[in-house]
Amino acid sequence: MKNFISRTLIGFLVASNCVAAGLDDFKELMFAPVPRAEAAKAGLTVMFVGVATLLFDDGETAIMTDGYFSRPTQSELRAVVPDREGISKALKRAGVTSLAAVIPVHSHFDHALDSPIVAMQTGALLVGSSSTANIGRGYGLAEERIRTVKFGDSLSFGRFKVHFLESAHLPIGYAPGPISAPLTVPAPASAFGQGDAYSLLIEHEGRRILVQGSAGFVPGALQGRSADVIYLGTGGLTVRDATYQAAYWQEIVRTVGARRVIPIHWDNFYRSLDDGLVPGADFPRMIESLRERGKPDGIDVRLSPQWVVTDPFVGMSN
Ligand SMILES: [Zn+2]
């Protein structure tokens, strides 16, 4: 226990320093919080909780990508297990009372480890690939609460329409295969095979947001699609060469004609939610390179603070 406390304390101090070194330099890019009373006026609000977990809420319906909160440390990867209590605390902190759907962007543990538990705790449908469905089954989520989708499918939840578009993971070769049988936990993190990777196009009352969970792409896959705002997965992007980075920007951001890019998947996901979001060492470089790329087209880069209700369209003309 004593060890735990001192580890937590050290973690907190380190986190505070890292946050100061990484995020503070980009304060002007941060969205201001939407006060609760004004959330209805915004029509659609989004809360970022870390990695690719985003809560979309229009006051009537809420949907969530990933729902990843447990965030095991690297030394725990041999046997990962969702932290049910931590998940319920996080959902409470996010203000989630009911959820229509929880949608992992692919089935790696840093996206889908907690998704079935989120579904159980909120009444949400677990929506995703056959791999995601097998995580739900292994955890004992009822079959009628699991919805398996294929590339090109679209599903409506209240006024949200979600299109499941074919995408790819950043090519890292980690656990690439599907999960072909119900997966029980504890399990090695690598048992969470990637399965299908989506670009999620979320339509809401004529507005379009793209959620790109991983920094990969399938050439031409987003041809003919449009989105004003992109939550853009940036994990591992800066270690790719310039050609790859340019192609990613072209295939995702420019192809859909986005006017605003909000990076996600930039935090160290081995750090507990209690530490706040701790950016990787490459964070300033990543942000600057996105801003450079966006400049010629007037695409602005904004950042979403953690746990904050934001209006991703704020300041954008229609
Ligand atoms: Zn992944």
Side-chain angles (χ1 to χ4, degrees), residues 99-185:
L99 204 57
V102 57
I103 309 168
V105 293
H106 57 264
S107 302
H108 280 155
F109 74 95
D110 58 318
H111 300 275
L113 173 66
D114 297 339
S115 312
I117 310 297
V118 170
M120 288 175 194
Q121 293 188 0
T122 60
L125 267 185
L126 174 67
V127 185
S129 66
S130 58
S131 297
T132 289
N134 273 327
I135 303 172
R137 285 184 194 114
Y139 288 19
L141 183 65
E143 201 61 40
E144 64 266 23
R145 300 273 298 286
I146 301 172
R147 185 69 53 88
T148 308
V149 290
K150 298 187 299 299
F151 291 137
D153 284 354
S154 304
L155 286 181
S156 292
F157 306 99
R159 288 180 286 158
F160 291 95
K161 189 168 188 189
V162 183
H163 305 273
F164 297 83
L165 308 178
E166 181 174 9
S167 192
H169 199 276
L170 179 83
I172 51 171
Y174 175 79
I179 302 168
S180 47
L183 179 62
T184 54
V185 280

Side-chain angles (χ1 to χ4, degrees), residues 68 70-84 107-114 117 135 139 174 183-193 269-270:
Y68 180 59
S70 296
R71 303 169 70 111
T73 62
Q74 247 165 317
S75 60
E76 292 167 332
L77 294 185
R78 259 172 301 168
V80 294
V81 62
D83 167 11
R84 287 170 185 258
S107 302
H108 280 155
F109 74 95
D110 58 318
H111 300 275
L113 173 66
D114 297 339
I117 310 297
I135 303 172
Y139 288 19
Y174 175 79
L183 179 62
T184 54
V185 280
S190 57
F192 287 77
F269 56 75
Y270 296 123

Side-chain angles (χ1 to χ4, degrees), residues 2 9 28 31 44 64 68 109 113 129 146 150 168 221 225 229 257 260 277 287 316:
K2 198 169 147 224
L9 184 64
E28 82 278 11
F31 285 114
L44 167 64
M64 186 181 268
Y68 180 59
F109 74 95
L113 173 66
S129 66
I146 301 172
K150 298 187 299 299
R225 305 284 180 172
V229 170
R260 174 168 287 168
L277 297 184
I287 298 289
M316 288 172 79

Side-chain angles (χ1 to χ4, degrees), residues 39-310:
K41 225 171 32 190
L44 167 64
T45 61
V46 182
M47 179 186 287
F48 175 52
V49 185
V51 196
T53 292
L54 297 161
L55 171 66
F56 295 80
D57 192 350
D58 69 0
E60 285 173 18
T61 309
I63 60 175
M64 186 181 268
T65 54
D66 290 0
Y68 180 59
F69 306 111
S70 296
R71 303 169 70 111
T73 62
Q74 247 165 317
S75 60
E76 292 167 332
L77 294 185
R78 259 172 301 168
V80 294
V81 62
D83 167 11
R84 287 170 185 258
E85 209 177 306
I87 294 167
S88 108
K89 250 174 61 187
L91 290 170
K92 202 165 167 196
R93 180 163 183 188
V96 174
T97 45
S98 75
L99 204 57
V102 57
I103 309 168
V105 293
H106 57 264
S107 302
H108 280 155
F109 74 95
D110 58 318
H111 300 275
L113 173 66
D114 297 339
S115 312
I117 310 297
V118 170
M120 288 175 194
Q121 293 188 0
T122 60
L125 267 185
L126 174 67
V127 185
S129 66
S130 58
S131 297
T132 289
N134 273 327
I135 303 172
R137 285 184 194 114
Y139 288 19
L141 183 65
E143 201 61 40
E144 64 266 23
R145 300 273 298 286
I146 301 172
R147 185 69 53 88
T148 308
V149 290
K150 298 187 299 299
F151 291 137
D153 284 354
S154 304
L155 286 181
S156 292
F157 306 99
R159 288 180 286 158
F160 291 95
K161 189 168 188 189
V162 183
H163 305 273
F164 297 83
L165 308 178
E166 181 174 9
S167 192
H169 199 276
L170 179 83
I172 51 171
Y174 175 79
I179 302 168
S180 47
L183 179 62
T184 54
V185 280
S190 57
F192 287 77
Q194 174 196 305
D196 291 346
Y198 303 105
S199 300
L200 297 174
L201 181 60
I202 300 178
E203 278 186 74
H204 187 271
E205 305 278 287
R207 290 160 142 186
R208 290 186 187 87
I209 299 179
L210 190 78
V211 178
Q212 182 65 33
S214 181
F217 60 90
V218 172
L222 296 181
Q223 240 6 288
R225 305 284 180 172
S226 67
D228 296 312
V229 170
I230 299 187
Y231 286 90
L232 187 70
T234 57
L237 192 56
T238 57
V239 299
R240 296 285 140 175
D241 63 21
T243 308
Y244 184 91
Q245 292 185 35
Y248 180 55
W249 182 268
Q250 176 63 34
E251 289 287 342
I252 307 292
V253 181
R254 294 198 70 211
T255 296
V256 302
R259 292 182 290 149
R260 174 168 287 168
V261 167
I262 307 163
I264 56 171
H265 214 329
W266 47 258
D267 52 305
N268 178 347
F269 56 75
Y270 296 123
R271 299 295 295 262
S272 152
L273 278 181
D274 296 337
D275 295 343
L277 297 184
V278 181
D282 64 341
F283 182 76
R285 196 153 46 92
M286 182 275 288
I287 298 289
E288 287 308 343
S289 86
L290 296 183
R291 293 178 86 181
E292 276 308 306
R293 278 187 207 286
K295 246 183 217 159
D297 299 311
I299 299 167
D300 79 336
V301 174
R302 300 292 296 267
L303 281 165
S304 200
Q306 188 186 26
W307 298 117
V308 170
V309 175
T310 66

